[in-house]
Amino acid sequence: MRIAVFGANGPTGRHLTEQALATGHEVVAVTRRPGSLPARPGFTVAVADATDPAAVDAAIAGTDAVLSALGARFSRETITTYSASATVITGAMARHGIKRLLAVSSSIADPEWRPTGAHFFNHVLDPLVNRRLGRTLHEDMRRMEAVIHQTGLDWTLVRPSGLFEHPVVTDYHTAATSADGVFTARTDLAASMLRELEERRYVRAAMGVITTAVKPNIAKLIWNEGVKKK
């Protein structure tokens, strides 16, 4: 399958690209910063801003599916990265007749999500980090989900919990709407997206994904994902 990966130069996008190539997919890596993406067989780089309709149109031409791993860092200012790119990408997909879309969102988009037994997270970290520091980011994720919901595409909204780096794919769990857990390794997020691309278990639905085998350092996670992230 020939797939377009938006945010290919980002932390999740890199895992998606590597895993997709390893499993035999052709990848069009869509990025604004192509310099660190080396050429290799089955791999094409498309330089495009995801909010530029003409550039996105050119980037996805001839692909069979689109995977979006676009991201932004926390900010007090209004964030539009997710919703603006979703509007442009889904419009281009409709024009090209490309039906399959998987877009990374967050468990926070599910208002009922509260991990079982995670008292400190539910009562301290979640209100402080997600609902306060990450408020504008998650508001735009919800706008992105609303944009995608309104399309006629075969979409899947992929909702990880707290993202962290881990070198290999581990045991992970997926569930409809959101998954009952606090953390998701990016390797597992990428693997779950590529599996869903093949299995189509969550078409026109949200898919929660959590890592069950390992846990990150919480302080490092907050720094890397909420403060340092670019």
Side-chain angles (χ1 to χ4, degrees), residues 120-121 125 129 162-166 182-186 211 214-226:
F120 181 71
F121 176 84
L125 286 181
V129 177
L163 288 167
F164 69 99
E165 287 296 333
H166 191 69
V182 179
F183 303 112
T184 308
R186 283 195 171 88
T211 293
V214 293
K215 294 181 180 180
N217 178 287
I218 293 177
K220 185 180 292 186
L221 182 149
I222 294 171
W223 171 258
N224 288 338
E225 302 305 323

Side-chain angles (χ1 to χ4, degrees), residues 6 21 23 36 39 42 47 58 62 86 104 116 120 154 175 183 187 198 230:
F6 283 81
L21 289 170
T23 53
S36 60
V47 182
V104 175
T116 301
F120 181 71
D154 292 340
F183 303 112
T187 45
E198 301 293 336
K230 296 182 180 180

Side-chain angles (χ1 to χ4, degrees), residues 29-90:
V30 187
T31 179
R32 293 182 300 173
R33 305 187 307 275
S36 60
L37 295 173
R40 69 191 91 172
F43 181 75
T44 303
V45 176
V47 182
D49 185 315
T51 62
D52 180 338
V56 170
D57 224 63
I60 69 170
T63 61
D64 303 302
V66 173
L67 279 61
S68 175
L70 292 167
R73 61 177 175 175
F74 289 173
S75 172
R76 294 182 179 180
E77 305 300 321
T78 299
I79 292 173
T80 61
T81 301
Y82 300 96
S83 56
S85 62
T87 300
V88 172
I89 291 169
T90 57

Side-chain angles (χ1 to χ4, degrees), residues 107 113 159-161 171-174 179-185 188 208-212:
S107 296
W113 178 68
R159 292 175 171 171
S161 297
D171 291 335
Y172 63 86
H173 174 69
T174 62
D180 187 7
V182 179
F183 303 112
T184 308
D188 293 342
V209 53
I210 57 164
T211 293
T212 58

